[in-house]
């Protein structure tokens, strides 16, 4: 599957995106993880692919406005001020979730809806099994990998890198 220009910068052009796999978009806070995911989502919607987007940070109205901005290639301000009209028919394959916070419920929705693509923004805000950060991270990683295989959906998981690790030697 080919993608938008930003996607081509990040992925191998010869392989593209492999269906049924998990891709993690990781970066420090404020470095464009969500913005990149909105571009991906808008591209897949334009291809009439079924897209589920789980956001634990942004409400569905604002999320739609960000995706629509990329879909229509118009300034966000025009969408927010209603100077530009969003056509609901353009987004009939897009399903937005802003109140689902646990991985178990996300998994149930994915298995019921059978999407082509799933976005989870952001991984650290999703509740899953484990008492330590290591256990929760491991549980999350194993569960979304299993979900991608079982559902054959491609999953994009957005993850914030620890800001304390910036500018430190390896």
């Amino acid at each position: 599957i080919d993608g938008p220009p930003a996607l081509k910068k990040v992925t191998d052009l010869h392989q593209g995106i492999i269906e049924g796999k998990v891709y993690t978009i990781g970066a420090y806070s404020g470095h464009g993880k969500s913005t990149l995911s909105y571009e991906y989502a808008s591209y897949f919607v334009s291809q009439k692919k079924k897209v589920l987007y789980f956001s634990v940070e942004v409400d569905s109205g604002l999320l739609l406005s960000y995706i629509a901005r990329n879909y229509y290639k118009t300034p966000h301000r025009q969408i927010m001020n209603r100077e530009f009209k969003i056509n609901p028919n353009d987004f009939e394959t897009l399903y937005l979730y802003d109140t689902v916070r646990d991985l178990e419920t996300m998994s149930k929705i994915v298995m019921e809806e059978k999407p082509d693509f799933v976005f989870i923004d952001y991984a650290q805000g999703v509740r899953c099994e484990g008492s330590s950060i290591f256990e929760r991270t491991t549980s999350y990683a194993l569960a979304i990998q299993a979900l991608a295989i079982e559902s054959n959906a491609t999953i994009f998981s957005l993850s914030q890198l620890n800001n304390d690790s910036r500018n430190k030697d390896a």
Side-chain angles (χ1 to χ4, degrees):
I1 299 169
D2 288 329
L7 179 65
K8 290 178 182 178
K9 290 179 190 174
V10 180
T11 61
D12 179 357
L13 292 177
H14 300 289
Q15 294 193 17
I17 295 174
I18 302 169
E19 294 177 9
K21 298 294 181 190
V22 175
Y23 293 88
T24 300
I25 301 171
Y28 298 116
S29 62
H31 278 75
K33 297 177 298 295
S34 296
T35 301
L36 182 60
S37 74
Y38 305 148
E39 184 167 339
Y40 291 167
S42 69
Y43 174 78
F44 298 136
V45 168
S46 75
Q47 300 298 304
K48 301 300 181 200
K49 300 294 184 182
K50 189 171 188 178
V51 175
L52 273 58
Y53 200 114
F54 296 95
S55 177
V56 299
E57 295 189 309
V58 177
D59 69 74
S60 59
L62 191 55
L63 186 55
L64 176 59
S65 74
Y66 290 142
I67 294 170
R69 167 193 66 197
N70 289 33
Y71 184 92
Y72 295 121
K73 300 184 183 357
T74 191
H76 191 241
R77 170 187 43 76
Q78 289 183 346
I79 291 172
M80 293 305 290
N81 292 340
R82 300 180 187 210
E83 297 168 24
F84 188 93
K85 190 108 170 128
I86 294 175
N87 181 349
N89 294 331
D90 292 336
F91 298 96
E92 60 190 10
T93 62
L94 177 64
Y95 298 76
L96 305 176
Y97 300 89
D98 61 3
T99 60
V100 178
R101 302 272 192 272
D102 63 283
L103 193 54
E104 184 178 338
T105 304
M106 288 178 185
S107 296
K108 286 179 184 175
I109 292 169
V110 169
M111 293 309 294
E112 287 172 9
E113 293 294 335
K114 306 207 180 312
D116 298 298
F117 297 95
V118 176
F119 292 85
I120 302 172
D121 187 7
Y122 83 114
Q124 287 89 334
V126 176
R127 288 190 301 268
C128 53
E129 292 182 25
S131 55
S132 71
I133 187 70
F134 176 78
E135 289 172 342
R136 287 191 304 274
T137 303
T138 302
S139 174
Y140 175 84
L142 292 172
I144 64 168
Q145 184 62 52
L147 180 61
I149 292 168
E150 191 175 339
S151 68
N152 202 39
T154 302
I155 300 175
F156 291 88
S157 175
L158 283 67
S159 181
Q160 183 171 314
L161 300 180
N162 184 339
N163 285 321
D164 292 339
S165 67
R166 281 188 192 190
N167 304 321
K168 288 188 178 180
D169 292 335

